[in-house]
Amino acid sequence: MELTSEALVVSLLALGAAALLTTLWVWPRLAPQRPLPVLGRIGLLTAVQVSVLAVLALSVNNSFGFYTSWHDLLDPGGAKLALTSNENHKGAPVGDALVQPTTEGGLETITNLPKGTPEEVGKVESVRVSGKATGFSDQMFVYLPPAYFDQKLALVRFPVLLAIAGYPGTTLNLLHELPLAQTAIELQRTGKMPPTVVVMARPAVVPSRDTECVDVPGGPRTETWFVKDVPEAIRGSYRVGRTAGSWATIGYSTGGSCALRLAMRFPDVFGSAASLHGDFNVRQDNYTGGDLFNGDKALTQQHDLGWRLQNLPVPTLNLLAVSTRTESDYPQTVQFVEQATQVAAANPQFRIDSLYLDDGGHNFDSWTRELPASLEWLGSHLG
């Protein structure tokens, strides 16, 4: 039974209920103050409390995605992430291929994907992606559209959308909490989005720390993972485009911050980006472990998108900033969009658009409502 499956939660709930009923029924018989009855009472109370705590722990894990599988939980430092403490280590990929099929990640729990053959509805694959430059290895989902399996299009390379979840969270949130693939499938079916390969990932390649998709000095090179390792692995394993115009990225919350920052810093990799409620500079909080750049002012500026617009050459790029007018970060979003609009007026190769809902918070309900328009916008810019 998978760690993230609802069946496990239901089973533990049933176990807890059975333990409680058993305790109520047997308790009078364990009233004598002798060693065995006392041990019996302790055992029953322990069984009830452990089952309740297990249900709470599983529910929290399923909501925030701290662990995606039993292997991830029981061996967090093992081969699943293939992390290295040596910044310059060039890790070898698992096996001979950079992308390999895997059964991890909980894809079998998603029941609302279209049913049919790949030629009819496409296919969502659970894969493990490994990187040469960083030595990282992580599980991802890849959606291949029906056109990918059309023999008439056997020589066609398809555009790619890299979707990044929020933190803390797993890649599964892009299917379970936010119906990203399901929405993309429907938009592609109705012609509102071109046939596109969708790659779904999580931002926290290091499970216990939010690295904001940056290369941490002396630490994890998450930015290199997303702009070098992941594109190299996907291009080497799937029939996809190789130019920036055929690659886009989208994300919500931390994933939205990553999407904008990766595109702004590497417009030769991503030609378009959409951010749902993301930030415009690198956050510093308990999740990041403080300042990711250790006080390096130059690095901090390089990752401040407003500073980049004012001080660096304007990239060839299409950006979409999405938020709600009741969000706490709405004023910062408006400020950045206004600044970017002024830059775009003098630089036609750069474009900024915005989408604002009248109400909504920093949650999946808002992101789900914003998703169709955001994907349609991205589809109009993918080569």
Side-chain angles (χ1 to χ4, degrees):
M1 200 176 295
E2 288 291 336
L3 178 65
T4 57
S5 67
E6 292 184 6
L8 181 58
V9 177
V10 173
S11 298
L12 286 174
L13 278 173
L15 178 62
L20 178 60
L21 292 174
T22 302
T23 300
L24 294 175
W25 182 60
V26 176
W27 195 265
R29 304 182 184 184
L30 300 176
Q33 300 300 315
R34 294 193 299 271
L36 286 180
V38 170
L39 289 175
R41 293 198 298 270
I42 293 175
L44 287 172
L45 291 174
T46 300
V48 172
Q49 293 184 18
V50 167
S51 59
V52 171
L53 290 174
V55 169
L56 291 175
L58 283 173
S59 300
V60 171
N61 182 70
N62 291 350
S63 296
F64 293 98
F66 297 112
Y67 301 96
T68 61
S69 66
W70 289 109
H71 182 74
D72 194 10
L73 172 65
L74 300 176
D75 189 19
K80 182 176 186 295
L81 290 174
L83 297 179
T84 172
S85 59
N86 183 350
E87 178 68 4
N88 297 315
H89 174 67
K90 307 299 182 182
V94 180
D96 298 326
L98 296 177
V99 176
Q100 295 183 342
T102 179
T103 57
E104 62 187 304
L107 181 59
E108 72 285 351
T109 65
I110 305 302
T111 59
N112 61 343
L113 290 170
K115 301 295 189 295
T117 65
E119 292 79 7
E120 296 171 332
V121 299
K123 181 182 180 183
V124 178
E125 298 181 340
S126 178
V127 299
R128 172 159 289 279
V129 178
S130 300
K132 293 181 179 179
T134 62
F136 289 171
S137 177
D138 204 9
Q139 182 268 339
M140 297 181 180
F141 298 121
V142 178
Y143 167 70
L144 303 172
Y148 190 91
F149 301 95
D150 189 341
Q151 293 301 314
K152 297 178 181 178
L153 303 176
L155 299 180
V156 172
R157 293 187 176 274
F158 291 82
V160 180
L161 175 61
L162 172 64
I164 306 176
Y167 181 91
T170 67
T171 310
L172 193 65
N173 283 351
L174 291 166
L175 290 167
H176 189 269
E177 304 294 342
L178 183 71
L180 186 134
Q182 297 90 325
T183 305
I185 291 170
E186 179 62 20
L187 290 175
Q188 293 181 39
R189 186 187 68 81
T190 57
K192 296 180 180 179
M193 184 179 182
T196 303
V197 173
V198 182
V199 179
M200 291 161 271
R202 61 176 177 174
V205 188
V206 181
S208 60
R209 188 182 187 188
D210 176 14
T211 57
E212 291 281 308
C213 300
V214 306
D215 281 359
V216 180
R221 292 184 295 159
T222 317
E223 184 178 71
T224 301
W225 164 252
F226 280 116
V227 300
K228 183 175 178 60
D229 283 345
V230 173
E232 179 183 1
I234 297 300
R235 288 172 183 146
S237 303
Y238 296 100
R239 241 169 40 248
V240 297
R242 299 181 178 276
T243 64
S246 60
W247 278 69
T249 179
I250 185 175
Y252 64 86
S253 190
T254 298
S257 307
C258 292
L260 284 186
R261 195 178 304 114
L262 293 173
M264 283 282 288
R265 286 177 51 80
F266 297 91
D268 57 331
V269 178
F270 301 105
S272 303
S275 169
L276 279 57
H277 301 217
D279 296 319
F280 304 96
N281 48 31
V282 176
R283 182 181 292 271
Q284 299 181 28
D285 54 25
N286 291 333
Y287 292 115
T288 63
D291 185 359
L292 290 169
F293 302 124
N294 301 319
D296 190 319
K297 183 178 179 181
L299 275 178
T300 302
Q301 288 180 331
Q302 286 286 328
H303 290 79
D304 184 323
L305 302 189
W307 183 89
R308 294 186 69 87
L309 284 177
Q310 290 180 339
N311 297 277
L312 298 180
V314 180
T316 300
L317 196 60
N318 301 297
L319 297 181
L320 174 66
V322 183
S323 188
T324 66
R325 292 184 171 86
T326 55
E327 255 276 37
S328 59
D329 67 351
Y330 174 67
Q332 288 77 22
T333 302
V334 172
Q335 180 181 0
F336 175 80
V337 170
E338 290 178 348
Q339 178 185 359
T341 300
Q342 295 177 359
V343 172
N347 299 273
Q349 80 276 14
F350 177 77
R351 178 177 176 179
I352 179 74
D353 290 313
S354 59
L355 170 65
Y356 304 128
L357 294 183
D358 289 333
D359 62 356
H362 202 81
N363 53 53
F364 284 105
D365 176 68
S366 298
W367 301 325
T368 299
R369 288 188 289 149
E370 296 159 351
L371 186 60
S374 301
L375 290 178
E376 192 171 345
W377 181 91
L378 283 167
S380 68
H381 293 88
L382 277 169

